[in-house]
Amino acid sequence: MTEVRFTVNGAAQCAEVEPRLTLADMLREECGLTGTHLGCEHGVCGACTVLMDGLPVRGCLVFGVQAEGADIRTVEGLAAPDGTLNVLQRAFQAQHGLQCGFCTPGFLMLATWMLEQPGGVDEARLRDVLASNLCRCTGYQNILAAVRAAAQEMGVWKG
Amino acid sequence: MKPASFAHHAPLTLEEALALLARHGEEARVLAGGQSLVPTMAFRMARPAVLVDINRIAALDHVTVEGSVLRIGALARHARFETPAVAGPLGALLARVAHHIAHPPLRLRGTFCGSLAHADPASEWCATALALEARMVLARADGLREVAAEDWFQGVFSTAMAPGEMLREVVLPLPAPAWRGGFAEFARRAGDFALAMAVVGLRLEGGVVRGARIALGGIGGQPVLAREAMALLESQPPSPALLEEAAATAARHCDPQEDLHAPAEYRRELVAVMVKRALRQAVSA
Amino acid sequence: MNWVGRRLPRSEDPPLLRGEGRYVPDIAIGARVVRFLRSPVASGRITALRPPAEMPPGCLFVTGADLAEVQPIKPGLRRFNYRAVEQPVLPIERVHFVGQAIAAIVAPGAALAEDLLEACELDIAAEDPVIGFDAALAPDAALVHPIAPGNVAVEGELRPEAFAETLASAAHMVEFAFRSGRQSAMPLEGRGGVAEYDRATGRIRLSASAQMPHQLRTGIAQLLGMPEADLQVIAPDVGGGFGQKMALFPEYPVLVWLARKHRGRFAWVEDRNENLIASAHSRDQRHVLRAGFDAEGRLLALEADILADVGAFSVFPTTCAVEPLMALAEYPGPYKVPAYAVRTRGVLTHTCPMAPYRGVSRPVITFGIERVMDRAAAALGLAPDEIRRRNLHDVFPARSATGMVLDEASYIQALDEAVHILDIPAFRARQAAARAQGRYLGLGLSVFNERTGYGTPAFAARSMDVVPGYEVVDIAMLPSGEVEARIGSSPHGQGLRTTLSQIIADRLGLDPGHIRIIHGDTDRTPYGWGSFASRSLVIGGGACQVAADKLADKLRRGAARLLQCEPSDVTLRDGNAVAGAASMPIAELARLAHQRSELLSDAIGFNLAETGQYDPGGTFSNACHAAIVEVEAETGHVRVERYLVVEDAGRIINPMIADGQVQGGVAQGIANALFEEVIYAPDGTPLTGTLADYTPPTCAEIPEIEIHHLETISDATITGAKGLGEGGSIGAPAAIANAISDALSPFGVDVAEFPATPPRIRALVRGRAPRA
């Protein structure tokens, strides 16, 4: 077992884990943050996407021990402490960008990263980035619409 | 779908990493981006007893021009190449290739050298390395050696690297001013492994093609050079008909394999199309 | 204020968006982990099965021998020559497909459980498996189950008198043989369950990612011989189902057995590989059609010979007949088919069993008949829309060739609307210009109807032992004036909480925010059937309306007493009971009804609770889909340039959610048409056990889907709503295939297989030069 110290959504965490425990499993099982979902565990579906030191990673393709000293952001960190949804989450609800909700945390974190990048977002970039993850319910159209709407509201849309 | 047990080491220096690799030999694997290794571990198709995680060795994270070469360190991520790593057609080609590798999160994490060490037959960087005459710099606890790309690939997921060694760096020669590159691949979905790809480099001098190299990927156990097509192009003006003929020649002489996704015959057809597109791109660049 | 018809944002969303949803894998944390040892061979006899030599403390090994008292899964059907194939929960003697669960390992953690799986000793004397139709139907074929001679598990046939003569008399005959590839519903969350023993009550709570929690409860209690009342089944947040999660899979009774025997908490969360090889598949069919048309393009006779691979077992409760019999019953679709003859067979093979998947055979039959229409149109020199117009039902109610009543719909109007929007002459000009440059554009139509919201009579006609259909809703107003509606149906991501609250809100004059829909818990909801067959909103919604109307009636009686008027004078609106100038808040009425019952009890009794039941005969929604594609002849690549849906699902309760269903359905239909196929090696090994090999599309492959609605209100449902959950998937393969075929028409080839992958398209055009 290895001790790992890191922060999640700004809070310090310490976990004793086997090296083979993935970051996603560590967040779920050791930190109780079950918003990060596992859809394939081999890096294709993107449901487990979290931000590690500011970059989106497949939580199933990084081991928990690799998070030593890292700053992790998960879906649980998006809304305000009182539960108020942030601009991206609101856009997902307004645009019906989710149905079963299982892929949603991964899309939210992927889009969060993209929207925070300098240079803004255009249609090509939007499709290129969001093609990283799979959704089985929505047909993607409303996910794209939601992120587009959030980008517009945030003033980073270059349509 | 959980990996078999392993010990994890995260050395801070190359020397420590090499000492670990020397100590654990065949039991050890280097963990860089992990975007190929970790899935194979999840399926327990790979089960290294020791992972030597090099992500904390800052000295390996470089892409630098040094004299007449571009040096790519073991921690250089794919995304590093999406904006040209070097001015001119080489940087443009690498950017074009990088954009076809998987998806942004995987490009931010996976590494150039990791792709070459993993040697997936459909890896874009493997075909690129072959086309660009890359040299692999292998480090071990007691020394260094270099392997040319043409000697590197030894079958599916198999390279010239020996136990105890690490691919420390890949060296790409900077091309002559008249050089230009081309790349084309065919994948069913965005980010998928290609069913066929072609990476092309050539010089246009005095209206004729010189020193063309065409690497084919995704069609068999390892990337290969389309030598007959390369020879055909030598010293010829790059007419559309010549490019077609070179593409057809590459297709005729390659040995594509059948798998779940494509019959061999289909792959051969794709080779012709991808070589044609890559050549057109190169000569019109 | 009318809530029905509004794009009300979903009340489901905020917790899901905060990552606070609760799915089975979340409930599983901390439970003892169960993993299944699965067969690596397709057919054979188990000769050795032993646990790992060393079992760490807290670990268990469970085999079929331990489950000797547990009954096999044996779904029943009383007609159609059905062979009641039994599936042991864990087999003792034989295995029947790669991936079949043979034994269970229990360990404190998942990784250790998988270590132990590797250390189990399993020997199987492998035998040649039966894979594919030709092998299964060969005269000397080995039998997958001795009970099913010829490997036919179910067989249906209809053949009217003098059919052959009718067919022979047709001026034009179109023959079309095609196949549809095997596919997986592939919900993003796989199957899984957590079974927990409650020491205080002796009951078991099974949380399962399921579409039919009540059926799971009844079925498991029967298999285990345990009191049904001691089993509570909960379907928490469910990460998609699309039909796959209807079945009673063997893993669930194992979990409940473990929890009872070991008085603990046991969880199984399948991984993606298990989901792809061992949950359930669908759509593996081969059809031969012969269609006779008169000289004007009117269909006179249709003959269908249908083979459906049903895999190795029959799933509970729908049985393995669900696909072959759906195809038999609904082939004629929206078309007038004066003479229809059909033979359908469900064929057993040593492969993963089949379960319903969004559309259930209708994507396949729609592909068949829509391709036939295009072939006939080409042969007769008619435009594709014109031949359809000549054959679509236009007088309602109509009766289908198999006796189904087609209620009021808009088959021709939907087609006309689509044709109008598409501007086909402009497209043809663009297509011709592109062809001149060696680019191949094509336009494909797909017209279909979708039988939805069918209740008990329709299922009874299928003669299943377990006959689904009705829904029951228990509704109650609390003293606060808030409403709880407990529904027997069970959503798996489609927003039912929101849409049902809209229906109830209108009936009670309340804001939907004051209405809670309680679902997916057998302790807290009336017995019901769940989500499938595009039924939840129609039947569950109908039952909600009945219940709410009864409650509204009660409220009006109570209000009339207090306002001193007649109940018929009272209207419920905007939270008030209003009678002329007098009014009172409904919440106050509710408080008085409960806490000052002496004022009201002789008018309304002692509660504000009612039960609604609904069991409709069924209704047909309809749509016209149109796809415009570009086919790259040299690679076989298909790009979907435009996708149009003109949909008629009657009254739309929530247009935003309705559109979401259509978009998602079309995306799955495009996936089925172009991308996805489960492939087996000849030895029965599944080759598509990862998402690198089974390839659902990303947002880069799915186009914007343009949706237009028509609203034909038939009297077949009390809400006016028709179901639409499956239509997107039903229409898309045909529209895409017709568009590809149109694009490739200069090569003189067309599509007779889906998915139409690039290698298959190349195989069509290889060696052919396009005609000018």
Side-chain angles (χ1 to χ4, degrees):
Chain A
M1 300 289 266
T2 306
E3 188 180 277
V4 195
R5 290 173 186 279
F6 53 103
T7 63
V8 182
N9 303 323
Q13 297 272 351
C14 180
E16 283 266 329
V17 298
E18 270 194 282
R20 60 171 158 173
L21 193 71
T22 64
L23 173 60
D25 279 339
M26 183 173 81
L27 291 168
R28 293 176 52 79
E29 295 171 11
E30 303 296 321
C31 306
L33 295 170
T34 55
T36 299
H37 297 155
L38 287 160
C40 76
E41 295 181 279
H42 54 280
V44 180
C45 79
C48 62
T49 303
V50 298
L51 305 190
M52 182 160 131
D53 292 330
L55 299 178
V57 295
R58 307 293 215 215
C60 69
L61 297 188
V62 174
F63 293 112
V65 290
Q66 296 186 276
E68 174 65 35
D71 176 33
I72 308 290
R73 288 166 66 193
T74 70
V75 66
E76 286 91 345
L78 295 181
D82 70 354
T84 303
L85 304 181
N86 77 5
V87 53
L88 180 64
Q89 292 167 309
R90 285 200 310 275
F92 265 70
Q93 184 178 26
Q95 302 292 330
H96 192 28
L98 68 158
Q99 290 183 25
C100 84
F102 200 77
C103 73
T104 309
F107 272 103
L108 288 172
M109 297 318 292
L110 182 67
T112 294
W113 166 74
M114 179 181 70
L115 294 169
E116 289 176 358
Q117 295 306 292
V121 180
D122 61 14
E123 191 64 32
R125 171 78 171 157
L126 177 74
R127 289 234 178 213
D128 182 43
V129 172
L130 294 190
S132 305
N133 288 12
L134 294 177
C135 168
R136 198 59 165 165
C137 295
T138 63
Y140 300 107
Q141 192 162 334
N142 290 346
I143 294 176
L144 295 166
V147 179
R148 227 178 263 128
Q152 281 161 0
E153 197 174 332
M154 294 164 69
V156 300
W157 180 250
K158 302 192 300 183
Chain B
M1 204 183 283
K2 311 293 180 191
S5 194
F6 60 85
H8 175 257
H9 299 279
L12 298 175
T13 66
L14 179 61
E15 292 66 34
E16 283 176 71
L18 296 176
L20 285 161
L21 290 172
R23 190 181 321 146
H24 296 288
E26 283 186 345
E27 302 224 295
R29 291 286 296 267
V30 171
L31 175 63
Q35 305 299 284
S36 301
L37 177 61
V38 179
T40 57
M41 290 172 67
F43 285 106
R44 300 201 177 193
M45 295 185 309
R47 39 199 320 150
V50 175
L51 282 187
V52 179
D53 179 347
I54 61 170
N55 282 282
R56 293 177 188 279
I57 308 177
L60 295 174
D61 187 6
H62 62 268
V63 178
T64 45
V65 174
E66 204 178 287
S68 61
V69 299
L70 181 69
R71 295 190 169 276
I72 300 168
L75 269 186
R77 320 277 173 180
H78 307 310
R80 184 81 166 258
F81 299 90
E82 286 189 81
T83 47
V86 53
L90 177 63
L93 177 69
L94 295 176
R96 183 185 286 268
V97 172
H99 194 74
H100 284 82
I101 299 171
H103 297 286
L106 292 93
R107 299 204 282 267
L108 286 163
R109 185 100 191 137
T111 64
F112 185 102
C113 291
S115 289
L116 281 151
H118 188 65
D120 189 296
S123 153
E124 283 86 357
W125 288 140
C126 289
T128 304
L130 186 58
L132 300 183
E133 301 180 79
R135 299 197 311 275
M136 318 301 162
V137 180
L138 290 166
R140 58 180 190 280
D142 57 352
L144 282 179
R145 68 180 175 121
E146 281 196 9
V147 178
E150 288 177 40
D151 302 322
W152 176 252
F153 302 105
Q154 305 197 340
V156 185
F157 303 120
S158 182
T159 70
M161 185 159 54
E165 287 184 319
M166 175 183 143
L167 180 56
R168 194 189 79 181
E169 200 171 61
V170 173
V171 177
L172 294 181
L174 295 179
W179 185 91
R180 57 269 321 266
F183 169 77
E185 72 170 30
F186 185 85
R188 288 185 57 196
R189 293 179 301 180
D192 267 347
F193 282 119
L195 302 182
M197 74 179 74
V199 186
V200 163
L202 52 80
R203 299 193 306 280
L204 277 184
E205 290 173 354
V208 299
V209 176
R210 303 277 187 200
R213 286 180 68 88
I214 303 170
L216 309 176
I219 61 167
Q222 64 188 63
V224 292
L225 290 174
R227 293 183 189 280
E228 296 80 2
M230 285 155 50
L232 187 82
L233 291 165
E234 186 59 31
S235 305
Q236 300 293 315
S239 67
L242 178 74
L243 303 189
E244 291 263 6
E245 196 189 336
T249 302
R252 199 161 53 243
H253 288 279
C254 72
D255 181 23
Q257 289 171 18
E258 167 155 9
D259 67 10
L260 180 65
H261 302 288
E265 200 48 36
Y266 174 69
R267 279 209 159 84
R268 191 184 299 282
E269 292 172 335
L270 285 183
V271 165
V273 179
M274 296 307 125
V275 170
K276 179 180 70 183
R277 289 179 185 176
L279 283 172
R280 281 184 186 163
Q281 214 180 81
V283 301
S284 64
Chain C
M1 161 144 2
N2 266 344
W3 291 96
V4 165
R6 296 175 60 174
R7 304 175 64 88
L8 188 66
R10 302 197 323 167
S11 57
E12 287 88 343
D13 289 354
L16 300 178
L17 287 162
R18 288 190 291 255
E20 293 167 348
R22 195 160 60 244
Y23 301 83
V24 163
D26 309 332
I27 297 165
I29 288 171
R32 298 171 77 180
V33 173
V34 181
R35 286 285 192 274
F36 288 93
L37 180 66
R38 297 188 180 276
S39 177
V41 302
S43 173
R45 200 162 42 79
I46 300 170
T47 56
L49 176 58
R50 277 183 281 274
E54 285 180 44
M55 287 285 274
C59 296
L60 299 169
F61 181 70
V62 179
T63 69
D66 299 306
L67 306 183
E69 306 292 305
V70 178
Q71 297 298 308
I73 298 169
K74 189 181 174 184
L77 185 79
R78 295 184 306 281
R79 286 171 57 203
F80 301 107
N81 208 14
Y82 177 75
R83 304 296 172 164
V85 170
E86 293 183 359
Q87 179 176 15
V89 167
L90 294 176
I92 294 174
E93 291 175 14
R94 303 191 62 82
V95 294
H96 285 88
F97 67 97
V98 172
Q100 184 178 4
I102 297 173
I105 284 281
V106 178
L112 175 60
E114 294 184 16
D115 294 345
L116 294 171
L117 280 187
E118 293 184 312
C120 291
E121 187 187 335
L122 171 64
D123 283 318
I124 298 173
E127 296 167 10
D128 287 342
V130 174
I131 303 294
F133 293 116
D134 293 333
L137 298 175
D140 57 347
L143 296 184
V144 176
H145 297 286
I147 193 178
N151 289 318
V152 174
V154 60
E155 181 166 15
E157 188 158 9
L158 301 173
R159 187 163 289 272
E161 272 181 44
F163 177 81
E165 291 77 1
T166 310
L167 187 63
S169 71
H172 289 277
M173 175 83 85
V174 173
E175 290 205 17
F176 184 52
F178 70 96
R179 70 174 286 277
S180 64
R182 180 181 285 238
Q183 291 168 329
S184 169
M186 210 215 90
L188 206 63
E189 181 207 17
R191 300 171 299 157
V194 185
E196 179 172 14
Y197 182 80
D198 182 341
R199 294 186 182 212
T201 61
R203 299 179 77 220
I204 306 287
R205 175 193 291 153
L206 172 68
S207 300
S209 190
Q211 292 174 235
M212 303 174 84
H214 286 281
Q215 300 317 305
L216 205 51
R217 178 199 204 194
T218 304
I220 291 172
Q222 284 170 356
L223 295 180
L224 298 185
M226 67 179 284
E228 189 172 357
D230 283 352
L231 180 61
Q232 174 189 13
V233 174
I234 292 178
D237 285 323
V238 174
F242 316 115
Q244 191 182 80
K245 293 176 180 173
M246 289 168 67
L248 194 173
F249 291 103
E251 290 87 351
Y252 293 125
V254 173
L255 288 178
V256 175
W257 182 88
L258 277 165
R260 287 187 87 206
K261 178 165 175 66
H262 296 279
R263 306 174 84 225
R265 186 160 156 249
F266 294 83
W268 163 66
V269 176
E270 78 173 350
D271 63 33
R272 183 54 58 191
N273 180 247
E274 289 177 288
N275 180 258
L276 286 171
I277 71 169
S279 55
H281 296 156
S282 183
R283 310 233 204 290
D284 190 346
Q285 301 188 17
R286 198 163 80 185
H287 297 196
V288 179
L289 299 179
R290 297 170 77 213
F293 290 82
D294 71 12
E296 279 75 49
R298 285 183 198 86
L299 185 56
L300 300 176
L302 174 69
E303 183 177 45
D305 189 356
I306 298 159
L307 294 176
D309 190 329
V310 300
F313 294 107
S314 187
V315 294
F316 181 92
T318 53
T319 82
C320 68
V322 61
E323 289 192 305
L325 292 187
M326 180 75 88
L328 170 142
E330 302 202 13
Y331 228 123
Y335 295 110
K336 294 176 274 195
V337 180
Y340 171 54
V342 56
R343 181 189 189 200
T344 189
R345 282 170 286 173
V347 179
L348 290 157
T349 60
H350 286 117
T351 59
C352 179
M354 295 291 178
Y357 169 31
R358 199 174 201 168
V360 187
S361 281
R362 287 163 297 180
V364 188
I365 61 179
T366 302
F367 179 95
I369 197 140
E370 290 300 279
R371 293 266 41 249
V372 161
M373 285 293 164
D374 273 15
R375 279 192 168 187
L380 291 159
L382 291 171
D385 57 311
E386 181 53 28
I387 195 166
R388 287 172 170 80
R389 209 170 278 115
R390 290 181 188 185
N391 284 290
L392 287 166
H393 281 289
D394 53 356
V395 178
F396 303 99
R399 190 165 286 273
S400 83
T402 54
M404 295 184 298
V405 176
L406 308 183
D407 59 327
E408 193 71 29
S410 58
Y411 303 149
I412 290 177
Q413 295 93 316
L415 171 67
D416 287 344
E417 174 93 356
V419 166
H420 172 72
I421 295 166
L422 287 167
D423 190 357
I424 292 178
F427 170 77
R428 292 294 173 209
R430 192 158 68 87
Q431 180 183 43
R435 275 182 192 169
Q437 303 169 345
R439 292 174 51 218
Y440 298 95
L441 303 180
L443 187 154
L445 296 173
S446 167
V447 177
F448 63 93
N449 59 6
E450 177 192 0
R451 189 189 195 191
T452 69
Y454 38 112
T456 308
F459 283 102
R462 211 182 274 171
S463 304
M464 288 153 64
D465 277 358
V466 177
V467 181
Y470 58 85
E471 282 297 341
V472 176
V473 169
D474 290 338
I475 197 167
M477 185 172 277
L478 307 179
S480 61
E482 289 150 21
V483 172
E484 289 180 343
R486 299 162 187 274
I487 66 171
S489 186
S490 189
H492 55 299
Q494 73 269 48
L496 212 47
R497 289 216 288 267
T498 302
T499 45
L500 296 182
S501 74
Q502 288 178 268
I503 291 173
I504 294 170
D506 278 356
R507 314 308 285 195
L508 297 178
L510 292 176
D511 185 289
H514 293 139
I515 295 157
R516 297 284 185 279
I517 306 295
I518 295 168
H519 58 76
D521 180 344
T522 58
D523 272 11
R524 299 202 296 153
T525 60
Y527 199 80
W529 292 96
S531 270
F532 56 93
S534 301
R535 69 188 298 278
S536 298
L537 187 64
V538 179
I539 308 183
C544 278
Q545 179 164 314
V546 171
D549 282 349
K550 289 166 76 173
L551 176 58
D553 189 50
K554 210 172 210 182
L555 291 170
R556 277 191 289 266
R557 278 186 277 128
R561 168 64 51 91
L562 296 171
L563 298 174
Q564 299 185 331
C565 61
E566 291 300 314
S568 58
D569 298 333
V570 179
T571 55
L572 305 174
R573 62 167 189 257
D574 301 335
N576 294 305
V578 181
S583 81
M584 69 182 298
I586 292 172
E588 176 63 7
L589 176 60
R591 190 187 75 78
L592 297 175
H594 289 90
Q595 296 183 335
R596 296 291 307 279
S597 60
E598 80 276 11
L599 303 176
L600 286 166
S601 59
D602 59 339
I604 62 171
F606 291 106
N607 66 25
L608 290 175
E610 290 289 353
T611 292
Q613 304 182 353
Y614 191 47
D615 190 28
T619 175
F620 285 82
S621 56
N622 65 276
C624 177
H625 288 202
I628 293 176
V629 304
E630 177 165 0
V631 183
E632 196 174 72
E634 59 182 5
T635 62
H637 179 257
V638 175
R639 184 174 66 88
V640 184
E641 181 187 282
R642 185 175 182 189
Y643 203 98
L644 171 71
V645 175
V646 179
E647 167 86 35
D648 189 340
R651 178 163 289 123
I652 301 294
I653 307 298
N654 183 322
M656 179 186 83
I657 288 176
D659 285 356
Q661 285 292 311
V662 174
Q663 289 158 356
V666 169
Q668 286 188 10
I670 291 174
N672 293 172
L674 295 174
F675 292 98
E676 294 178 10
E677 185 169 13
V678 172
I679 296 175
Y680 278 90
D683 72 352
T685 303
L687 302 176
T688 43
T690 76
L691 290 182
D693 297 315
Y694 191 80
T695 51
T698 73
C699 71
E701 288 78 43
I702 300 297
E704 294 281 308
I705 293 149
E706 197 179 322
I707 302 169
H708 300 259
H709 289 285
L710 301 173
E711 279 201 15
T712 303
I713 308 299
S714 86
D715 57 8
T717 72
I718 55 170
T719 56
K722 301 176 172 188
L724 51 52
E726 298 170 277
S729 304
I730 292 170
I736 298 283
N738 281 341
I740 296 171
S741 299
D742 182 42
L744 296 182
S745 57
F747 294 89
V749 296
D750 66 359
V751 174
E753 181 172 21
F754 73 90
T757 60
R760 286 181 179 146
I761 287 171
R762 270 303 305 165
L764 286 174
V765 301
R766 183 172 296 134
R768 289 172 171 268
R771 293 188 311 269

